[in-house]
Amino acid sequence: MGPVRAVACRFMEVRDLHPWPSTPEEAEAIQDRLRPLLELDVPGPASPRTVAGLDVSYAGDGGGTGTRLAAAVVVLDAATLDVVEESVAVGTAAFPYVPGLFAFRELPTLLDALRNLKTTPDLLVCDGFGVAHPRRFGLACHLGVLTGLPAIGVGKTAFVGTYDPPGGRRGDASPLMHGDEEVGRVLRTRDGVKPVFVSVGHRADLGSACRTVLALAPEYRLPETTRRSDRLSRDALGT
DNA sequence: GCGACAG
DNA sequence: ATCTTGTCGC
């Protein structure tokens, strides 16, 4: 029983705990039920050897249910940024787009892509947020709990929270505050370029998450993990 | 009450 | 997310 099973079994186990939601109320209830399973106070992967980037592309309108989509996972060697493994899965949007319930749209197809992986990555880098979420349970949290793997989120725009603009140089960061809690960090990955929003999802700490994101983004604003998975998912749609 | 709101 | 032209800059 190899790594493939480790991911697949984890998903099956959790999926059996609840039916797929058909209403926003049911979806919120699932988030509330899974949130206690989060492990947030553990030191994140200090130096992950392999890091998986996940992203989804849509064909046509990306608002409703049933839209065709492609989910891609690209595993990189964290030290060299070389591609270790790739996986793509096509499917349909499993839920309408509702801010705060975004994960339910692409989760099934993302898990399909993860299931086909032979590698068990040391860290999942998701497109979106972790605990920087209205109910502290964004996509990175959901994926982390379902797979049992350390997971973080990297968002391109703010969702919840307030912050002061970080310094203008690469590496500068400022806390993303929600109430009196630091739910994430606004991190500048390139001099003079719009920062990204990093938050923890599962089994990771914010400091390690930011260091890893910086290491993954030596040249461009977005980490190579998301750039690679974005390209792969786009290609899979044929467009 | 009204608007804003990850991808 | 996706629909889209040209344009400024490294």
Side-chain angles (χ1 to χ4, degrees):
Chain A
M1 192 169 295
V4 183
R5 282 280 135 210
V7 172
C9 289
R10 192 73 190 210
F11 168 47
M12 291 308 189
E13 179 190 342
V14 175
R15 185 178 61 174
D16 289 345
L17 292 179
H18 62 76
W20 197 252
S22 53
T23 67
E25 292 70 30
E26 291 176 6
E28 287 183 17
I30 290 171
Q31 292 180 327
D32 291 339
R33 191 181 316 166
L34 296 184
R35 193 185 320 103
L37 302 180
L38 284 177
E39 296 172 29
L40 296 176
D41 291 318
V42 297
S47 50
R49 197 188 70 75
T50 55
V51 183
L54 302 84
D55 193 30
V56 173
S57 291
Y58 294 77
D61 172 52
T65 309
T67 310
R68 270 176 46 80
L69 53 77
V73 181
V74 176
V75 183
L76 300 183
D77 182 307
T80 64
L81 301 189
D82 289 331
V83 176
V84 173
E85 190 182 354
E86 297 181 330
S87 175
V88 204
V90 294
T92 56
F95 207 79
Y97 173 69
V98 179
L101 302 177
F102 168 62
F104 293 96
R105 264 178 97 52
E106 15 189 86
L107 217 40
T109 313
L110 278 171
L111 289 166
D112 281 343
L114 280 172
R115 230 190 316 274
N116 292 328
L117 231 47
K118 275 119 190 127
T119 314
T120 298
D122 297 323
L123 177 69
L124 262 36
V125 178
C126 310
D127 214 60
F129 292 108
V131 296
H133 176 276
R135 280 174 303 285
R136 300 284 191 279
F137 202 77
L139 174 64
C141 299
H142 212 138
L143 272 170
V145 167
L146 294 185
T147 61
L149 300 174
I152 64 173
V154 179
K156 295 180 282 292
T157 62
F159 185 26
V160 297
T162 58
Y163 61 93
D164 293 320
R169 300 203 319 158
R170 165 179 161 83
D172 290 339
S174 60
L176 178 62
M177 303 299 294
H178 195 199
D180 53 8
E181 192 180 347
E182 182 181 25
V183 294
R185 209 158 280 169
V186 187
L187 177 65
R188 188 92 59 186
T189 52
R190 289 198 67 182
D191 292 358
V193 174
K194 187 186 202 298
V196 298
F197 301 78
V198 180
S199 58
V200 157
H202 185 57
R203 293 187 176 181
D205 72 79
L206 195 49
S208 299
C210 289
R211 281 189 293 276
T212 299
V213 169
L214 267 183
L216 290 170
E219 187 174 3
Y220 299 100
R221 177 195 176 219
L222 297 177
E224 286 304 309
T225 36
T226 63
R227 297 186 73 246
R228 293 275 193 173
S229 53
D230 175 77
R231 190 174 180 182
L232 181 57
S233 63
R234 217 171 284 249
D235 290 347
L237 282 180
T239 306

